[in-house]
Each structure stands twice: as C-alpha cells, then as structure tokens.
Amino acid sequence: MFVLRQWWNRYALKTGVVVVAVASAWFMRITEGAALYEAYHWITRPIQPDLNREQVLENSYILELQQRIVELENQNRSLREFEDYVDTLNEPGIRARVIGHAADHWWQHLILNRGSRQGVKVGHIVTAPGGVVGRVVAVSSNTSKVLLITDATSRVGAKVSRSRVLGVVRGQSNDRLVMEFFEKDPDVKVGDVIVTSSYSRLFPRELPIGRVEFIDITKSPAPEAMIQLSAPSSIIEWAVISPFDPMESVDDPKVSNPEDNHKENP
Amino acid sequence: MTPLISPGKPPFYQQSWFLNTLVTAGSVLLCLLLLPGRIPGIELLGVAPHWLLIWVVAWSVKRTVWEGAIAGLVLGLLQDAMTAPQPTHTLSLIVAGVLTARLQKHRYLQEDIVSIALIVFAMAVIAETVLALQISFDQLLSDGSLYPSLPQVWLYHQRVALSSAILSSLWAPALYYPLNRWWDHRRASGYAQDS
C-alpha cells in the first residue's frame, strides 16, 4: 500500500498527463479529426482563394468550353454519354475549393472547404473538370474529406463507352488508373473514353473517368488497360460535390459477374 | 537568466508547466495543420515532409523509451484521425519514438543538426517500412484485401520512403532546434528549482 502511495505521489502528474494526451488523441481518432480539419480550414481561410459568384460562372464557362473540345474530338457514339455528363454537371451541386491533400503518403485524399453546414454528406460524389474524382468519406462542419479514385484501395465499376465492355477500375496512387476487363478479348482501343458503369454502387453511372492510354491484352487472368485521367488530382483546384445515395445492391441482377462482390471500395 | 518560477505566486499562465504544455501542444498542433497542406517548394514528387515523425524524433532524442512510445502513440492516433485508421500510423511512430530513445544520442553522438537529420532520415525510412509491412500482411492474410499486389506496394514504398526521408531530414532542424532549445531551457530551470 505504501509502495503504491509512494508511486502515486511520484508519478500522479505524469500519469494524468499521459491519460489526458492519449484520451484526447483517441477522441480525435473517433471523430475522424473533425476539429483538426476545422482548425485547418479557419487557419488557411485567408489564403484560400475566394470562390465568389463571378468566379463560379467563369469556371462553369471554362468547363463548358472544355466539354465542347471533348465533344469535337469524340464525334462518335460516346456523344450520348457526353450529354449525360453535361446533365450531371448541370445538376445542383456544391462548388468547393481544394484546400488540402492527404495527411500521409499512402492515402489519396483531397480536403474540400465545404462540409455538413453546406449540406455535404458522406457518400456524395465529387467531380472536377476532368470527370469523376472520388467520393466523400468524412465531413466536418466546414470541410469534407474525399477518397480519390486514384487511391490504391478504390474500386469503381466502369465500361468502355464506345463498345460497352465492362470492367473494374482501380487506383495506383498516381495519375493513372488500371482497368481490368471481365472478358478475355475486350473490344477496346487506345483513346477510348471510360465511364462509370451502372454496376457501380457507389458512383452514379456514365460519369467520365478518363481515356485508354495503353492496353495489355496478354495480362493474366484478365486483360488490362491503363487509363489516363483527364485532370491529375495534384493540380485540381476546385471540384463539384453532387448528392448521391450509394445503392445497397446492383440494379440488374440478371447479369452477375464473379468479380461483382469486390468491385467497389468499402 | 531569470528562472521561470519566481518565489511568489505568479498567475497560472506564467508558470512553467503551463508554458511548457502550451509550447508542446502548440507545436504538435502546428505539425498537424501542416500535414494536409502541400506548400509549393517543400514537396517532392507529391510527397511532403513527415512533420509528425520529426516531432516524435525531436521529443524522443533526450527522453526515455516509454516517453518516446507514448508520444508515438498519441501522434499516431492523431494522424489516424486525419487519414484513416487502417493501416495504423501509431505503430510506425511508436517504433520511431522507441528506436530514437534507445539511441541515447546524448551519450554517444555529439549534438548537432547533422546527426538529427541522419536520425530523421533513418526513422522516416523505418516508419514507411512499418506501414508497407502492415499493408503486405493485410494483403497476404485476408482474401478480400483491397490493397494492390506486393510488388506494387514495395515499389511505391521505395518512392515514398526515399522522398519522405530526404524532405523530412532537410526540414528536421526547423522543428528540432527551437523545440529542443525550449526543452533544454526548461530542464535547466527545473534543476535549478530542485536544488
């Protein structure tokens, strides 16, 4: 008892400090660092470029021009998807600035300056001038954290817009994605536009992802294609957050793929 | 130099424990807020310095193994909060804290900025390796693992570990020097108070 009391007299303060430090770090961990991102938001506020109405309109105009260029390049069957793309972008979305990136070297995240106060929820889809960028995985009152489709753990159901060949796109932690096809001999060419497929549960269908840059048809067990993103995530400065409810199950149960159960990110 | 604690009863904000807590917690907060930013000029291949690792090394250099481990745990939990809890950063930062404290630098090495930079370089490589090992184990042990294949993980590890180590070791003195000056100063005044 005496030993215990002596120990307590000596180390009470230290123990208290350790308990407080660990407990507050654990609290941060439970709340997914919301307080930290709020602080980051307020501190970087002066250097965040103001996204006023004029700028928004200007950005929309640039976006429209970019889409027209894509349209001219594309004069083929992907025109239909392209119109869908315009439609999806014209849906009421929340425009947000990119104020930060992942807080370590292994994850591919973006931090946006719009959060639950502006109506952002977990699961919402984030698009940028190049097409789909990722989905919101955490929100605080004024910031949201986006898991990019370039993250190594990300899986998106996708298809070739020209030939409707299905596959799964996964990230590689750089500006290129890999698309694995389900078929042995897919109808795909260099330059084809890749869009999200209707089998994607976490993303709405027919959002553009990128273009085929290189095809490895001999790859085992399934052929693969390298996909070049239209806009590298490192240079994206602003994005649009669109509301989307992740589906619980795929809409068409008639065509089932063995890869179906692990084709989406968690 | 006047000691921080005078014989009278100063208000709590002038007492040394309060100032020390403020400096310590404030520097951690500063490191945390530097993490998501990619300030032009201090990133290399899209990789920024590992500020939390630098802090853990600066903390552990003149402290015991246990203190290093606890600092690693707390900062690891904080980094988990800002990214994702799996793979956990607590393990890599605890390893870095424990190894740095085991080095007992003040006994064998002269105190200078170069040796700190070297320690940070080594610890950055070790910390990234611990993370890569966690991912590898997950890949090997669970069937539905979403992580890429092992060759890809380790290729990526090479790139990240090297850039992170170079950048962190270059920026280590910027954090180590002021923090260590403060802790040294506090230690000195603490001893003066005891005697």
Side-chain angles (χ1 to χ4, degrees):
Chain A
M1 196 63 206
F2 175 72
V3 180
L4 206 66
R5 175 168 283 257
Q6 201 177 27
W7 182 89
W8 179 249
N9 284 342
R10 264 183 90 180
Y11 292 112
L13 187 67
K14 265 191 180 173
T15 317
V17 168
V18 167
V19 167
V20 166
V22 174
S24 46
W26 183 253
F27 174 75
M28 285 291 181
R29 154 95 167 62
I30 300 274
T31 55
E32 290 186 314
L36 291 172
Y37 280 116
E38 280 302 297
Y40 181 75
H41 175 255
W42 292 111
I43 284 173
T44 57
R45 209 174 156 82
I47 55 168
Q48 283 171 28
D50 191 20
L51 199 73
N52 55 32
R53 191 163 287 271
E54 205 175 338
Q55 231 177 337
V56 169
L57 288 175
E58 202 180 320
N59 285 340
S60 313
Y61 184 58
I62 294 169
L63 191 68
E64 196 192 326
L65 289 179
Q66 280 171 340
Q67 285 159 6
R68 284 194 185 167
I69 293 167
V70 175
E71 190 181 5
L72 287 170
E73 277 177 353
N74 246 356
Q75 294 176 345
N76 57 19
R77 280 200 283 163
S78 67
L79 194 65
R80 218 186 79 74
E81 274 75 22
F82 178 72
E83 280 171 354
D84 287 349
Y85 177 35
V86 176
D87 284 344
T88 52
L89 280 180
N90 285 345
E91 274 172 18
I94 303 154
R95 279 168 203 278
R97 263 282 159 194
V98 174
I99 56 170
H101 294 260
D104 80 344
H105 310 130
W106 290 85
W107 291 91
Q108 303 283 316
H109 286 148
L110 283 183
I111 314 299
L112 304 177
N113 70 345
R114 293 285 182 270
S116 54
R117 253 201 199 173
Q118 288 84 17
V120 181
K121 290 201 180 80
V122 171
H124 282 188
I125 300 303
V126 179
T127 50
V132 63
V133 170
R135 46 188 289 272
V136 176
V137 289
V139 288
S140 70
S141 20
N142 286 298
T143 67
S144 50
K145 189 163 73 187
V146 180
L147 181 71
L148 299 177
I149 54 169
T150 53
D151 191 273
T153 61
S154 178
R155 300 283 184 282
V156 185
K159 67 181 176 195
V160 179
S161 79
R162 181 177 55 82
S163 59
R164 317 255 146 193
V165 178
L166 292 170
V168 175
V169 164
R170 58 184 163 82
Q172 285 195 300
S173 306
N174 55 25
D175 290 339
R176 284 184 179 74
L177 302 167
V178 169
M179 181 166 179
E180 282 173 9
F181 294 101
F182 298 145
E183 296 171 29
K184 276 280 172 219
D185 186 19
D187 177 12
V188 58
K189 287 190 292 196
V190 170
D192 276 346
V193 173
I194 305 295
V195 296
T196 52
S197 78
S198 48
Y199 296 108
S200 187
R201 276 169 292 174
L202 299 175
F203 290 90
R205 66 202 182 96
E206 286 165 6
L207 287 174
I209 297 173
R211 271 159 189 286
V212 175
E213 189 186 47
F214 168 79
I215 303 162
D216 186 358
I217 213 85
T218 57
K219 183 86 179 180
S220 170
E224 280 185 357
M226 278 286 190
I227 295 163
Q228 168 85 60
L229 287 179
S230 321
S233 54
S234 50
I235 62 160
I236 291 174
E237 284 188 340
W238 63 271
V240 180
I241 308 170
S242 330
F244 182 72
D245 288 324
M247 278 172 275
E248 289 303 314
S249 59
V250 288
D251 18 315
D252 191 357
K254 273 180 281 180
V255 191
S256 64
N257 280 302
E259 285 89 344
D260 223 33
N261 47 2
H262 61 88
K263 73 175 188 180
E264 293 290 339
N265 51 8
Chain B
M1 208 181 285
T2 50
L4 279 167
I5 296 183
S6 49
K9 273 243 167 183
F12 76 94
Y13 54 81
Q14 273 179 15
Q15 287 180 20
S16 90
W17 64 266
F18 181 79
L19 280 174
N20 188 46
T21 312
L22 205 70
V23 168
T24 309
S27 59
V28 172
L29 188 67
L30 182 75
C31 289
L32 286 170
L33 294 180
L34 279 170
L35 281 180
R38 292 284 186 277
I39 305 156
I42 64 167
E43 64 167 334
L44 186 70
L45 298 170
V47 171
H50 198 330
W51 295 106
L52 294 183
L53 180 94
I54 302 174
W55 197 94
V56 169
V57 169
W59 167 271
S60 312
V61 159
K62 288 180 189 166
R63 284 187 172 80
T64 61
V65 172
W66 277 104
E67 285 169 321
I70 284 166
L73 173 71
V74 170
L75 268 69
L77 283 173
L78 289 171
Q79 199 176 13
D80 278 357
M82 292 190 80
T83 55
Q86 219 248 328
T88 176
H89 301 85
T90 49
L91 220 55
S92 55
L93 289 178
I94 288 175
V95 168
V98 168
L99 286 181
T100 311
R102 287 285 296 177
L103 278 179
Q104 300 282 329
K105 185 176 154 291
H106 56 281
R107 282 197 204 156
Y108 303 115
L109 288 164
Q110 216 183 355
E111 166 155 14
D112 57 13
I113 280 165
V114 177
S115 60
I116 279 295
L118 278 177
I119 295 175
V120 169
F121 190 94
M123 291 307 151
V125 173
I126 290 169
E128 301 298 347
T129 309
V130 171
L131 277 174
L133 279 175
Q134 282 184 59
I135 292 177
S136 304
F137 279 127
D138 184 272
Q139 234 272 332
L140 289 173
L141 298 180
S142 71
D143 286 336
S145 175
L146 287 161
Y147 294 110
S149 60
L150 290 189
Q152 280 180 356
V153 169
W154 287 96
L155 208 67
Y156 185 70
H157 164 261
Q158 266 179 28
R159 204 191 77 181
V160 164
L162 202 63
S163 350
S164 162
I166 291 171
L167 273 179
S168 307
S169 60
L170 284 177
W171 281 92
L175 195 65
Y176 171 79
Y177 195 68
L179 271 181
N180 212 51
R181 276 293 293 249
W182 168 261
W183 284 326
D184 274 349
H185 168 74
R186 189 180 133 75
R187 262 186 216 111
S189 62
Y191 292 142
Q193 188 200 349
D194 283 345
S195 58

